[in-house]
């Protein structure tokens, strides 16, 4: 596709990086709106986006390297590839960002349950921006060849990426577009439910559960390496996500929330 959109002098503007920045800016405005309604200091939205963006970039790269260790071993040149090139894992970014943001929220005495419910819609649409970035850059997070799955889907669901960052001339399942469709539907659902769900942590738990199930399913047609029991790294993280969502479903009714919208610990 278009790994580099344009250049400003000698500086290339990559499609994935630009979409990543757009996703964080969009999240900022959604968070400000949600925080105002939920009684959280609106200024924390900028802190959350800054901390989340930096930790997500580090975490997504770390998870990608752990998923493809052979590509970064064997020589100093391969090792230095860790610090450049394509390859990011959304789950890695999510885990690192979640830990960093919860730590920052604790320092500001912001209740974690109120925070995660307020962040749920922003996370869903942010994931969608990331999938658009993957699609435009052609970074290799495709599915299997359509012919091997006996699929005759039209473009953009089946297509080749001859000019991608990780090029392929075979028509492959365009999993970024499939996941983008899922992210849009998930965001729409969360927007509809955000004022209807009153139980703490329930909105975030639903986001986490639905996303984990979608990602678990799409991994069966992606080309990521398999680990134990034939599951990929993302599938194992999805299983953990389903377990955490189940715990949040159990925990939510046991948290008390006053009329101000701030949770009582």
């Amino acid at each position: 596709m278009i790994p580099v959109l344009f250049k400003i002098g000698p500086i290339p503007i990559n499609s994935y990086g630009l979409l990543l920045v757009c996703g964080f800016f969009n999240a900022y405005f959604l968070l400000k709106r949600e925080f105002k309604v939920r009684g959280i200091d609106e200024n924390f939205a900028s802190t959350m986006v800054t901390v989340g963006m930096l930790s997500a970039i580090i975490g997504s790269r770390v998870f990608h390297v752990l998923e493809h260790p052979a590509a970064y071993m064997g020589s100093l040149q391969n090792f230095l590839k860790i610090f450049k090139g394509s390859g990011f894992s959304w789950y890695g970014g999510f885990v690192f960002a979640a830990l960093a943001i919860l730590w920052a929220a604790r320092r500001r005495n912001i209740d974690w349950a109120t925070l995660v419910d307020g962040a749920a819609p922003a996370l869903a649409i942010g994931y969608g921006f990331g999938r658009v970035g993957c699609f435009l850059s052609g970074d290799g997070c495709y599915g299997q060849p359509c012919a091997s799955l006996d699929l005759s889907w039209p473009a953009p669901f089946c297509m080749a990426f001859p000019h991608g960052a990780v090029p392929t001339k075979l028509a492959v399942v365009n999993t970024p577009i499939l996941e983008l469709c899922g992210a849009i539907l998930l965001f729409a659902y969360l927007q509809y439910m955000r004022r209807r769900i009153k139980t703490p942590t329930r909105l975030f738990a639903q986001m986490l559960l639905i996303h984990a199930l979608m990602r678990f399913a799409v991994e069966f047609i992606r080309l990521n390496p398999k680990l134990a029991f034939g599951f990929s790294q993302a599938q194992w993280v999805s299983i953990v996500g389903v377990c955490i969502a189940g715990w949040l479903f159990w925990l939510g009714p046991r948290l008390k929330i006053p009329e101000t919208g701030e949770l009582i610990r």
Side-chain angles (χ1 to χ4, degrees):
M1 291 298 291
I2 317 172
V4 178
L5 292 175
F6 55 89
K7 290 185 178 181
I8 301 178
I11 302 174
I13 305 300
N14 296 322
S15 53
Y16 184 84
L18 182 62
L19 265 294
L20 190 68
V21 171
C22 290
F24 277 106
F25 268 107
N26 184 75
Y28 169 73
F29 292 110
L30 286 174
L31 289 169
K32 284 200 71 172
R33 181 195 64 185
E34 284 297 309
F35 287 178
K36 183 177 181 180
V37 172
R38 295 176 183 273
I40 300 175
D41 181 7
E42 294 179 56
N43 293 324
F44 187 70
S46 59
T47 301
M48 184 172 175
V49 168
T50 303
V51 171
M53 181 166 58
L54 295 176
S55 54
I57 292 172
I58 295 172
S60 60
R61 190 61 173 165
V62 168
F63 268 54
H64 174 78
V65 172
L66 292 176
E67 190 174 23
H68 305 274
Y72 305 95
M73 298 173 62
S75 68
L76 177 61
Q77 184 178 7
N78 285 343
F79 176 77
L80 293 177
K81 290 180 182 178
I82 293 175
F83 307 102
K84 61 181 180 179
S86 61
F88 295 92
S89 166
W90 187 86
Y91 267 137
F94 176 77
V95 171
F96 272 55
L99 294 175
I101 290 168
L102 289 174
W103 172 79
R106 184 176 178 83
R107 288 175 59 87
R108 294 279 294 272
N109 293 319
I110 296 173
D111 195 282
W112 68 272
T114 307
L115 181 68
V116 297
D117 280 337
L123 285 169
I125 201 63
Y127 185 74
F129 272 97
R131 295 301 90 181
V132 175
C134 289
F135 169 65
L136 289 178
S137 65
D139 65 357
C141 56
Y142 327 123
Q144 300 174 35
C146 296
S148 67
L149 298 174
D150 196 25
L151 295 177
S152 57
W153 293 348
F157 298 103
C158 269
M159 60 182 292
F161 292 82
H163 304 295
V166 181
T168 176
K169 294 182 179 180
L170 293 175
V172 293
V173 178
N174 194 349
T175 50
I177 291 297
L178 294 179
E179 293 178 89
L180 170 63
C181 293
I184 293 172
L185 291 174
L186 177 57
F187 175 72
Y189 171 76
L190 294 172
Q191 284 291 94
Y192 176 76
M193 297 300 294
R194 53 192 273 268
R195 293 292 171 264
R196 292 168 173 79
I197 295 178
K198 304 299 183 182
T199 307
T201 74
R202 186 61 55 84
L203 188 69
F204 179 78
Q206 290 192 18
M207 185 281 298
L208 186 60
L209 176 63
I210 295 171
H211 177 271
L213 292 175
M214 289 194 302
R215 185 59 187 269
F216 186 87
V218 81
E219 282 292 311
F220 283 112
I221 57 174
R222 284 185 64 171
L223 296 174
N224 288 332
K226 306 303 180 183
L227 304 178
F229 300 102
F231 292 155
S232 68
Q233 180 196 80
Q235 286 177 311
W236 282 111
V237 178
S238 294
I239 291 172
V240 174
V242 170
C243 294
I244 294 175
W247 174 70
L248 291 173
F249 274 108
W250 173 84
L251 179 67
R254 290 162 175 78
L255 296 174
K256 295 180 180 180
I257 182 168
E259 293 181 359
T260 59
E262 296 183 358
L263 289 173
I264 300 176
R265 289 183 176 81

